[in-house]
Amino acid sequence: MPDIPWITPTAPAPDAEVYVMASRFETATLAGAFKFFLKAPGIIGQIRKAPGAHGAALRARVLGRTFLTLSAWEDRDALYRFARSEPHRSSSRAASAYMKESAFTYWTVPASELPLTWAEAERRLAEPKQSH
């Protein structure tokens, strides 16, 4: 199944700093992977309208039961508002029933570095987590 390429709902100011999130999800079963993928269009549609959304993409490896997301936001609050809104809120709750594992990482970049690369997202997701 195809990836969903980078979209830019709202372009950031050229000199802005943006808040970035990358995530990796692995489902426990292939059926769970299909359920996850079938929710993707609704979530992308939500991102297209989300205040403060500066970009998003999905790398779907359905047969491998693995998904990567990459998104850029005006700030952390914009990301959290999106995550608490529908359909993301109920979709993420439902996904917990068939998720094997998930990982998240966050950082900031100058807006001029958008769109971000999958290589950068994968590198950051692979880094050991620092305790604060």
Side-chain angles (χ1 to χ4, degrees), residues 17-32:
E17 181 119 300
V18 297
Y19 189 74
V20 176
M21 183 196 79
S23 62
R24 181 179 55 247
F25 300 98
E26 183 181 347
T27 62
T29 65
L30 191 54

Side-chain angles (χ1 to χ4, degrees), residues 66-110:
T66 304
F67 302 84
L68 298 175
T69 71
L70 186 55
S71 59
W73 301 86
E74 179 178 58
D75 54 27
R76 188 176 71 162
D77 290 340
L79 169 61
Y80 288 178
R81 278 191 306 274
F82 161 78
R84 291 188 307 261
S85 301
E86 295 299 336
H88 185 275
R89 181 179 177 197
S90 58
S91 293
S92 61
R93 285 185 177 166
S96 66
Y98 50 83
M99 203 56 61
K100 179 178 177 183
E101 70 178 48
S102 55
F104 302 86
T105 189
Y106 308 89
W107 70 100
T108 58
V109 298

